[in-house]
Amino acid sequence: MKKKVLATLLATAMVAGSLAGCGSSSDTTATEDTAATEETTEEAAPAEEAEASTEESADAADPVANLIAATTDTVTLTVWASEEDQDLTTQLLEEFKAAYPDVTFDITLGAESESTAKDTILTDVEAAADVYAFADDQINELVQAGALQEVAATYTYDVATENAAGSVEAASVDGKLYAYPMTADNGYFMFYDSSVFTEDDVQSLEKMIEVAEAAGKKIAMDISNGWYLYAFFQGAGYGLSLNDDGVTNTCTWNAAGATDVAQAIIDLTASGVLVDMSDEDMATQIAEGTVVACVNGTWRAETAETAWGENYAATKLPTFNAGGTDYQMSSYSGYKLIGVNPHSANIGWAMLLAEYLTNEASQTVRFEARGLGPANTAAAASEAVQANPAISALAAQAAYATPQRVGGNFWSPAETLGQILASGNPDGTDLQTLLDTTVEGITAPVE
């Protein structure tokens, strides 16, 4: 390690660089101007001293070198990853520590689902992990609670330019980047058995129902889940969005013509071929051979591949017909992100670790180990990723997908609407009244 005085100076420079953005041009210019003035009043240094000075200047421009030089104590960090990601994260943490052998680390890994990370963190932000994974739809509340460090400085790569634009958008709030994209696969598309359906068949949901009915098989979709029900209404142009307050919604699912979408869902499920089914039931019925196509995500790929073998296939969602017009089904695009807690005692190392866990190599390893789609554009362009049916289908669906940004009052009314429509509207409620009631619940103030 360097002398303590030098370490302190470098630490100060590092913090200033982090606040202003790494490599601030004004800071660099000021330093260079001062150096130039000093050179005019002092004798030229010997060649070896000039060389040493050049090396020190290079080190000063290297944020990782600055971070190492400013570190005199053990770097203690806590990391939270999902239960499924424990083995891989352990491997990556060991590789990270090995990359910086002159630094002593004490890194503790804990288990926390990406889907519940926000709830756990917001109980006590200061006590939460230094580095943690979370689903992108939680980002607004985490930023509002001061639980995410803005990515205003980079150490080893530019997060904003090396990841897919959609993932960067999902990791940002009000134009500021607050997280590091880790995966780009938390969306949904269509799995199917190619021994039953042709590539042409799966372009239309009506055609798929016709073919599956002739084969005595089922198509599954969790219509009662607002996450999936969104595919119909958004696809037909009826919007749902989060308001600027970050908690309430704007929804046009009851606008003129939206009853055609509601009636289409009733008609599509009327034959009993398109079945409202939970993810767990899909897994069982795919394995049993009852379900030969389903709307689901990458986490169900292994189930489908095991059941259908060489006939396992996947593609974007199909079109559906509402009021005589064919609409491409939409979807939510979902990303898993890694965030840094601004209350971390080792904020620089926490940010560097977050970069490491989400860089091209780590995203590639995560795909190879767990089949999770990379957000990193170079990793996503690899032949192995492109050859993966589920990831390829998700990429095709991305053109019709939007990031999930909804307030909490969306889920229950949407679930009720989905249940009513999937069961054929058994009470015969006027569809406009049904949609008006649903939208009233979705857009209700949050108390």
Side-chain angles (χ1 to χ4, degrees):
M1 290 292 175
K2 307 280 181 139
K3 293 182 180 179
K4 187 172 182 179
V5 173
L6 176 59
T8 302
L9 291 172
L10 288 171
T12 302
M14 180 194 71
V15 172
S18 296
L19 293 175
C22 189
S24 169
S25 59
S26 60
D27 290 347
T28 303
T29 302
T31 302
E32 290 174 350
D33 288 345
T34 301
T37 302
E38 291 175 352
E39 285 179 5
T40 61
T41 58
E42 296 177 4
E43 293 182 2
E48 58 270 21
E49 290 183 13
E51 182 178 348
S53 177
T54 300
E55 292 176 354
E56 288 179 3
S57 296
D59 287 344
D62 183 344
V64 176
N66 290 349
L67 186 59
I68 294 172
T71 302
T72 58
D73 299 320
T74 297
V75 175
T76 301
L77 295 169
T78 300
V79 177
W80 286 349
S82 69
E83 189 67 44
E84 299 80 8
D85 219 26
Q86 292 290 298
D87 290 344
L88 178 59
T89 304
T90 297
Q91 172 190 328
L92 293 175
L93 290 176
E94 291 303 315
E95 293 173 358
F96 175 78
K97 290 188 286 186
Y100 304 101
D102 294 333
V103 179
T104 302
F105 293 98
D106 179 11
I107 302 179
T108 302
L109 176 61
E112 179 66 49
S113 170
E114 294 102 346
S115 64
T116 59
K118 170 183 66 70
D119 298 329
T120 302
I121 291 163
L122 296 188
T123 59
D124 189 344
V125 175
E126 293 187 23
D130 300 275
V131 179
Y132 57 87
F134 65 99
D136 72 279
D137 62 307
Q138 302 170 26
I139 192 168
N140 284 313
E141 290 178 77
L142 289 169
V143 169
Q144 289 171 358
L148 284 172
Q149 169 68 33
E150 183 185 349
V151 186
T154 58
Y155 291 89
T156 57
Y157 75 97
D158 187 346
V159 181
T161 60
E162 293 196 18
N163 288 287
S167 70
V168 174
E169 178 187 356
S172 302
V173 175
D174 294 332
K176 295 181 179 180
L177 187 64
Y178 281 98
Y180 303 77
M182 180 174 69
T183 71
D185 59 3
N186 196 26
Y188 49 93
F189 46 92
M190 180 69 77
F191 287 108
Y192 68 97
D193 181 344
S194 64
S195 70
V196 179
F197 304 98
T198 67
E199 291 184 358
D200 287 337
D201 292 338
V202 297
Q203 299 306 307
S204 162
L205 187 52
E206 286 79 11
K207 181 63 176 179
M208 291 185 72
I209 291 173
E210 176 188 330
V211 172
E213 185 172 26
K217 302 295 184 179
K218 305 292 184 184
I219 301 169
M221 181 176 180
D222 194 356
I223 299 171
S224 296
N225 186 327
W227 201 54
Y228 296 98
L229 184 64
Y230 175 85
F232 292 104
F233 286 94
Q234 180 66 27
Y238 298 96
L240 171 70
S241 59
L242 185 68
N243 293 329
D244 290 340
D245 61 14
V247 292
T248 60
N249 303 302
T250 293
C251 182
T252 62
W253 288 13
N254 62 337
T259 53
D260 288 341
V261 178
Q263 186 62 53
I265 296 171
I266 294 173
D267 294 341
L268 288 165
T269 56
S271 68
V273 176
L274 178 63
V275 182
D276 182 25
M277 190 179 295
S278 70
D279 178 59
E280 294 78 9
D281 287 343
M282 284 187 211
T284 299
Q285 296 201 35
I286 289 172
E288 292 175 348
T290 304
V291 168
V292 291
C294 68
V295 176
N296 215 311
T298 55
W299 53 90
R300 199 46 69 201
E302 185 176 354
T303 302
E305 186 172 15
T306 299
W308 302 331
E310 62 181 14
N311 296 314
Y312 160 65
T315 187
K316 69 172 181 63
L317 295 177
T319 63
F320 74 102
N321 189 279
T325 301
D326 288 334
Y327 296 103
Q328 169 62 51
M329 293 177 73
S330 186
S331 65
Y332 273 127
S333 58
Y335 305 90
K336 293 175 184 175
L337 312 173
I338 284 186
V340 170
N341 192 329
H343 298 283
S344 173
N346 292 289
I347 193 72
W349 284 105
M351 294 177 73
L352 181 57
L353 176 57
E355 282 189 12
Y356 188 87
L357 294 174
T358 58
N359 65 20
E360 178 185 347
S362 294
Q363 291 198 38
T364 298
V365 170
R366 186 169 283 105
F367 166 75
E368 293 170 347
R370 298 192 54 213
L372 301 180
N376 180 278
T377 52
S382 71
E383 290 184 9
V385 173
Q386 293 297 309
N388 182 286
I391 302 301
S392 179
L394 191 63
Q397 181 62 29
Y400 313 104
T402 56
Q404 179 184 313
R405 294 291 182 272
V406 294
N409 280 347
F410 166 69
W411 301 106
S412 181
E415 178 180 349
T416 299
L417 176 63
Q419 290 172 342
I420 292 172
L421 297 179
S423 61
N425 191 19
D427 294 335
T429 305
D430 174 73
L431 292 182
Q432 186 62 58
T433 300
L434 180 60
L435 294 181
D436 287 342
T437 301
T438 299
V439 169
E440 183 180 355
I442 290 173
T443 60
V446 176
E447 298 179 357

PDB file of all heavy atoms in Angstrom, residues 146-164:
ATOM      1  N   GLY A 146     -34.322   6.493  -1.240  1.00  0.00           N
ATOM      2  CA  GLY A 146     -32.889   6.731  -1.074  1.00  0.00           C
ATOM      3  C   GLY A 146     -32.097   5.456  -0.896  1.00  0.00           C
ATOM      4  O   GLY A 146     -31.073   5.435  -0.207  1.00  0.00           O
ATOM      5  N   ALA A 147     -32.555   4.382  -1.543  1.00  0.00           N
ATOM      6  CA  ALA A 147     -31.913   3.076  -1.383  1.00  0.00           C
ATOM      7  C   ALA A 147     -31.006   2.703  -2.541  1.00  0.00           C
ATOM      8  O   ALA A 147     -30.422   1.614  -2.540  1.00  0.00           O
ATOM      9  CB  ALA A 147     -32.980   1.991  -1.203  1.00  0.00           C
ATOM     10  N   LEU A 148     -30.862   3.591  -3.528  1.00  0.00           N
ATOM     11  CA  LEU A 148     -30.017   3.295  -4.684  1.00  0.00           C
ATOM     12  C   LEU A 148     -29.034   4.429  -4.950  1.00  0.00           C
ATOM     13  O   LEU A 148     -29.422   5.601  -5.062  1.00  0.00           O
ATOM     14  CB  LEU A 148     -30.871   3.069  -5.937  1.00  0.00           C
ATOM     15  CG  LEU A 148     -31.591   1.725  -6.043  1.00  0.00           C
ATOM     16  CD1 LEU A 148     -32.540   1.727  -7.235  1.00  0.00           C
ATOM     17  CD2 LEU A 148     -30.586   0.578  -6.174  1.00  0.00           C
ATOM     18  N   GLN A 149     -27.781   4.063  -5.070  1.00  0.00           N
ATOM     19  CA  GLN A 149     -26.722   5.001  -5.427  1.00  0.00           C
ATOM     20  C   GLN A 149     -26.777   5.268  -6.934  1.00  0.00           C
ATOM     21  O   GLN A 149     -26.801   4.337  -7.737  1.00  0.00           O
ATOM     22  CB  GLN A 149     -25.353   4.404  -5.080  1.00  0.00           C
ATOM     23  CG  GLN A 149     -24.153   5.158  -5.636  1.00  0.00           C
ATOM     24  CD  GLN A 149     -23.984   6.524  -4.997  1.00  0.00           C
ATOM     25  OE1 GLN A 149     -24.291   6.701  -3.824  1.00  0.00           O
ATOM     26  NE2 GLN A 149     -23.497   7.478  -5.763  1.00  0.00           N
ATOM     27  N   GLU A 150     -26.828   6.522  -7.337  1.00  0.00           N
ATOM     28  CA  GLU A 150     -26.804   6.830  -8.759  1.00  0.00           C
ATOM     29  C   GLU A 150     -25.495   6.352  -9.377  1.00  0.00           C
ATOM     30  O   GLU A 150     -24.420   6.494  -8.788  1.00  0.00           O
ATOM     31  CB  GLU A 150     -26.951   8.334  -8.986  1.00  0.00           C
ATOM     32  CG  GLU A 150     -27.000   8.724 -10.453  1.00  0.00           C
ATOM     33  CD  GLU A 150     -27.018  10.226 -10.682  1.00  0.00           C
ATOM     34  OE1 GLU A 150     -27.201  10.976  -9.697  1.00  0.00           O
ATOM     35  OE2 GLU A 150     -26.833  10.651 -11.845  1.00  0.00           O
ATOM     36  N   VAL A 151     -25.578   5.792 -10.574  1.00  0.00           N
ATOM     37  CA  VAL A 151     -24.384   5.327 -11.290  1.00  0.00           C
ATOM     38  C   VAL A 151     -23.785   6.515 -12.021  1.00  0.00           C
ATOM     39  O   VAL A 151     -23.893   6.654 -13.240  1.00  0.00           O
ATOM     40  CB  VAL A 151     -24.727   4.182 -12.264  1.00  0.00           C
ATOM     41  CG1 VAL A 151     -23.455   3.613 -12.888  1.00  0.00           C
ATOM     42  CG2 VAL A 151     -25.500   3.086 -11.541  1.00  0.00           C
ATOM     43  N   ALA A 152     -23.151   7.399 -11.246  1.00  0.00           N
ATOM     44  CA  ALA A 152     -22.591   8.632 -11.803  1.00  0.00           C
ATOM     45  C   ALA A 152     -21.109   8.489 -12.119  1.00  0.00           C
ATOM     46  O   ALA A 152     -20.495   9.409 -12.657  1.00  0.00           O
ATOM     47  CB  ALA A 152     -22.804   9.779 -10.830  1.00  0.00           C
ATOM     48  N   ALA A 153     -20.524   7.362 -11.749  1.00  0.00           N
ATOM     49  CA  ALA A 153     -19.109   7.099 -12.037  1.00  0.00           C
ATOM     50  C   ALA A 153     -18.956   5.654 -12.466  1.00  0.00           C
ATOM     51  O   ALA A 153     -19.715   4.783 -12.032  1.00  0.00           O
ATOM     52  CB  ALA A 153     -18.261   7.370 -10.794  1.00  0.00           C
ATOM     53  N   THR A 154     -18.013   5.401 -13.346  1.00  0.00           N
ATOM     54  CA  THR A 154     -17.752   4.034 -13.794  1.00  0.00           C
ATOM     55  C   THR A 154     -16.282   3.711 -13.589  1.00  0.00           C
ATOM     56  O   THR A 154     -15.424   4.592 -13.585  1.00  0.00           O
ATOM     57  CB  THR A 154     -18.121   3.856 -15.276  1.00  0.00           C
ATOM     58  OG1 THR A 154     -17.371   4.796 -16.062  1.00  0.00           O
ATOM     59  CG2 THR A 154     -19.609   4.107 -15.502  1.00  0.00           C
ATOM     60  N   TYR A 155     -16.017   2.426 -13.441  1.00  0.00           N
ATOM     61  CA  TYR A 155     -14.652   1.975 -13.166  1.00  0.00           C
ATOM     62  C   TYR A 155     -14.065   1.140 -14.308  1.00  0.00           C
ATOM     63  O   TYR A 155     -12.927   1.362 -14.713  1.00  0.00           O
ATOM     64  CB  TYR A 155     -14.629   1.150 -11.871  1.00  0.00           C
ATOM     65  CG  TYR A 155     -14.899   1.970 -10.638  1.00  0.00           C
ATOM     66  CD1 TYR A 155     -16.193   2.162 -10.169  1.00  0.00           C
ATOM     67  CD2 TYR A 155     -13.858   2.583  -9.941  1.00  0.00           C
ATOM     68  CE1 TYR A 155     -16.453   2.923  -9.041  1.00  0.00           C
ATOM     69  CE2 TYR A 155     -14.096   3.346  -8.811  1.00  0.00           C
ATOM     70  CZ  TYR A 155     -15.396   3.518  -8.361  1.00  0.00           C
ATOM     71  OH  TYR A 155     -15.641   4.280  -7.252  1.00  0.00           O
ATOM     72  N   THR A 156     -14.834   0.181 -14.809  1.00  0.00           N
ATOM     73  CA  THR A 156     -14.261  -0.754 -15.788  1.00  0.00           C
ATOM     74  C   THR A 156     -14.991  -0.770 -17.119  1.00  0.00           C
ATOM     75  O   THR A 156     -14.441  -1.234 -18.108  1.00  0.00           O
ATOM     76  CB  THR A 156     -14.264  -2.183 -15.213  1.00  0.00           C
ATOM     77  OG1 THR A 156     -15.614  -2.543 -14.849  1.00  0.00           O
ATOM     78  CG2 THR A 156     -13.370  -2.278 -13.988  1.00  0.00           C
ATOM     79  N   TYR A 157     -16.228  -0.305 -17.163  1.00  0.00           N
ATOM     80  CA  TYR A 157     -16.945  -0.236 -18.437  1.00  0.00           C
ATOM     81  C   TYR A 157     -18.110   0.735 -18.303  1.00  0.00           C
ATOM     82  O   TYR A 157     -18.543   1.057 -17.197  1.00  0.00           O
ATOM     83  CB  TYR A 157     -17.443  -1.624 -18.882  1.00  0.00           C
ATOM     84  CG  TYR A 157     -18.644  -2.153 -18.133  1.00  0.00           C
ATOM     85  CD1 TYR A 157     -19.923  -2.015 -18.647  1.00  0.00           C
ATOM     86  CD2 TYR A 157     -18.499  -2.823 -16.909  1.00  0.00           C
ATOM     87  CE1 TYR A 157     -21.032  -2.506 -17.978  1.00  0.00           C
ATOM     88  CE2 TYR A 157     -19.594  -3.326 -16.239  1.00  0.00           C
ATOM     89  CZ  TYR A 157     -20.858  -3.168 -16.779  1.00  0.00           C
ATOM     90  OH  TYR A 157     -21.965  -3.648 -16.113  1.00  0.00           O
ATOM     91  N   ASP A 158     -18.613   1.207 -19.440  1.00  0.00           N
ATOM     92  CA  ASP A 158     -19.717   2.166 -19.444  1.00  0.00           C
ATOM     93  C   ASP A 158     -21.035   1.405 -19.439  1.00  0.00           C
ATOM     94  O   ASP A 158     -21.429   0.809 -20.442  1.00  0.00           O
ATOM     95  CB  ASP A 158     -19.622   3.058 -20.685  1.00  0.00           C
ATOM     96  CG  ASP A 158     -20.637   4.196 -20.660  1.00  0.00           C
ATOM     97  OD1 ASP A 158     -21.565   4.134 -19.839  1.00  0.00           O
ATOM     98  OD2 ASP A 158     -20.496   5.142 -21.462  1.00  0.00           O
ATOM     99  N   VAL A 159     -21.698   1.424 -18.310  1.00  0.00           N
ATOM    100  CA  VAL A 159     -22.938   0.671 -18.132  1.00  0.00           C
ATOM    101  C   VAL A 159     -23.990   1.085 -19.153  1.00  0.00           C
ATOM    102  O   VAL A 159     -24.705   0.245 -19.711  1.00  0.00           O
ATOM    103  CB  VAL A 159     -23.482   0.881 -16.707  1.00  0.00           C
ATOM    104  CG1 VAL A 159     -24.765   0.092 -16.494  1.00  0.00           C
ATOM    105  CG2 VAL A 159     -22.438   0.488 -15.671  1.00  0.00           C
ATOM    106  N   ALA A 160     -24.088   2.364 -19.421  1.00  0.00           N
ATOM    107  CA  ALA A 160     -25.151   2.889 -20.271  1.00  0.00           C
ATOM    108  C   ALA A 160     -24.993   2.514 -21.740  1.00  0.00           C
ATOM    109  O   ALA A 160     -25.987   2.409 -22.465  1.00  0.00           O
ATOM    110  CB  ALA A 160     -25.233   4.401 -20.142  1.00  0.00           C
ATOM    111  N   THR A 161     -23.772   2.309 -22.209  1.00  0.00           N
ATOM    112  CA  THR A 161     -23.566   2.036 -23.630  1.00  0.00           C
ATOM    113  C   THR A 161     -23.360   0.559 -23.947  1.00  0.00           C
ATOM    114  O   THR A 161     -23.505   0.155 -25.096  1.00  0.00           O
ATOM    115  CB  THR A 161     -22.346   2.816 -24.167  1.00  0.00           C
ATOM    116  OG1 THR A 161     -21.167   2.425 -23.442  1.00  0.00           O
ATOM    117  CG2 THR A 161     -22.564   4.312 -24.017  1.00  0.00           C
ATOM    118  N   GLU A 162     -23.034  -0.251 -22.945  1.00  0.00           N
ATOM    119  CA  GLU A 162     -22.749  -1.658 -23.220  1.00  0.00           C
ATOM    120  C   GLU A 162     -23.936  -2.584 -22.955  1.00  0.00           C
ATOM    121  O   GLU A 162     -23.840  -3.790 -23.159  1.00  0.00           O
ATOM    122  CB  GLU A 162     -21.529  -2.120 -22.412  1.00  0.00           C
ATOM    123  CG  GLU A 162     -20.250  -1.440 -22.861  1.00  0.00           C
ATOM    124  CD  GLU A 162     -18.991  -2.135 -22.375  1.00  0.00           C
ATOM    125  OE1 GLU A 162     -19.073  -3.315 -21.974  1.00  0.00           O
ATOM    126  OE2 GLU A 162     -17.934  -1.488 -22.382  1.00  0.00           O
ATOM    127  N   ASN A 163     -25.052  -2.013 -22.514  1.00  0.00           N
ATOM    128  CA  ASN A 163     -26.255  -2.803 -22.288  1.00  0.00           C
ATOM    129  C   ASN A 163     -27.373  -2.356 -23.219  1.00  0.00           C
ATOM    130  O   ASN A 163     -27.372  -1.232 -23.717  1.00  0.00           O
ATOM    131  CB  ASN A 163     -26.705  -2.672 -20.829  1.00  0.00           C
ATOM    132  CG  ASN A 163     -25.784  -3.400 -19.876  1.00  0.00           C
ATOM    133  OD1 ASN A 163     -25.764  -4.621 -19.804  1.00  0.00           O
ATOM    134  ND2 ASN A 163     -24.985  -2.627 -19.133  1.00  0.00           N
ATOM    135  N   ALA A 164     -28.338  -3.240 -23.448  1.00  0.00           N
ATOM    136  CA  ALA A 164     -29.458  -2.937 -24.340  1.00  0.00           C
ATOM    137  C   ALA A 164     -30.198  -1.702 -23.859  1.00  0.00           C
ATOM    138  O   ALA A 164     -30.351  -1.473 -22.656  1.00  0.00           O
ATOM    139  CB  ALA A 164     -30.405  -4.132 -24.393  1.00  0.00           C
TER     140      ALA A 164
END
